[in-house]
Amino acid sequence: MSAGSTAKITIVSGSSRLEGRVHAVVALAADTATSAGAAVEVVALHELCLPVMIYGDRSQDDLPAVHSIRRSAAWADGFIICTPEYHGNMSGCLKNWFDFLYEELAGKFAGVLAVTGGGGGDMSITAVKTSFAWCHGFTLPYHVAARAPDFDVEGNLVNNLVADRIRRVAYDVVRYAPVLRSTFEAARTLGPGVQAGVAGAHT
Ligand SMILES: Cc1cc2nc3c(=O)[nH]c(=O)nc-3n(C[C@H](O)[C@H](O)[C@H](O)COP(=O)(O)O)c2cc1C
């Protein structure tokens, strides 16, 4: 694909509950990415009921939920990944999403968002960035945490500074993801040698 074509962005909602604050953040990111010209898919992990990944169990490959997340990840040029902070980490369902993936994330770009009860979100954001990097993906060098006081009682995001920062992430992911993917795909054609860099591991 060329850097000028429509960006394909998958937004991952890492909340495990229907009424979570993560959903307001995901909706804002999706609206902004769409406004920026991207084709957007939202993966709502609380709806998918992914099983816990069992390493080596090939029967899981045939499950509709597993097929769905692998297809949307392979389709995407880039990701906006939103996690609730659970015990200083990403949510279990989001880590499980990562565990089903690897090559689908390689050479892709991601922005990371967190929703916390009151903490700064650094640990959950770092956890997401680390897992993405271990799948050979690249992440935006800044990120956003929305804390409980940034929402009203109905779960609407009411802190405009935080909302603007989420919009900034979405614009940047739409901007950079296609460029990075096309660069990585070109490097893959060089084969497994050192000149292909990290893409050489994915030929
Ligand atoms: C199991 C669990 C662990 C949590 N751990 C943290 C934490 O370490 N730091 C924090 O600030 N909030 C923590 N929280 C609060 C959540 O991050 C907060 O409720 C957030 O809004 C959850 O996202 P959701 O509303 O989309 O479900 C925790 C909540 C749960 C249920």
Side-chain angles (χ1 to χ4, degrees), residues 15-17 19-23 83-89 115-121 123 148:
S15 183
S16 56
R17 64 177 177 141
E19 305 294 337
R21 298 186 190 96
V22 161
H23 306 310
T83 186
E85 182 159 279
Y86 283 174
H87 302 320
N89 216 301
V115 174
T116 80
M123 291 178 291

Side-chain angles (χ1 to χ4, degrees), residues 77-152:
D77 300 326
F79 300 84
I80 299 171
I81 303 174
C82 187
T83 186
E85 182 159 279
Y86 283 174
H87 302 320
N89 216 301
M90 74 176 91
S91 63
C93 66
L94 182 58
K95 180 59 169 61
N96 193 46
W97 175 84
F98 272 107
D99 290 346
F100 277 106
L101 303 171
Y102 172 48
E103 293 185 5
E104 297 88 347
L105 307 183
K108 306 284 183 71
F109 189 65
V112 180
L113 312 172
V115 174
T116 80
D122 289 338
M123 291 178 291
S124 54
I125 289 165
T126 298
V128 174
K129 289 188 174 190
T130 299
S131 287
F132 203 77
W134 256 245
C135 294
H136 291 173
F138 301 77
T139 54
L140 194 61
Y142 68 96
H143 41 259
V144 189
R147 300 173 304 152
D150 298 324
F151 298 83
D152 66 17

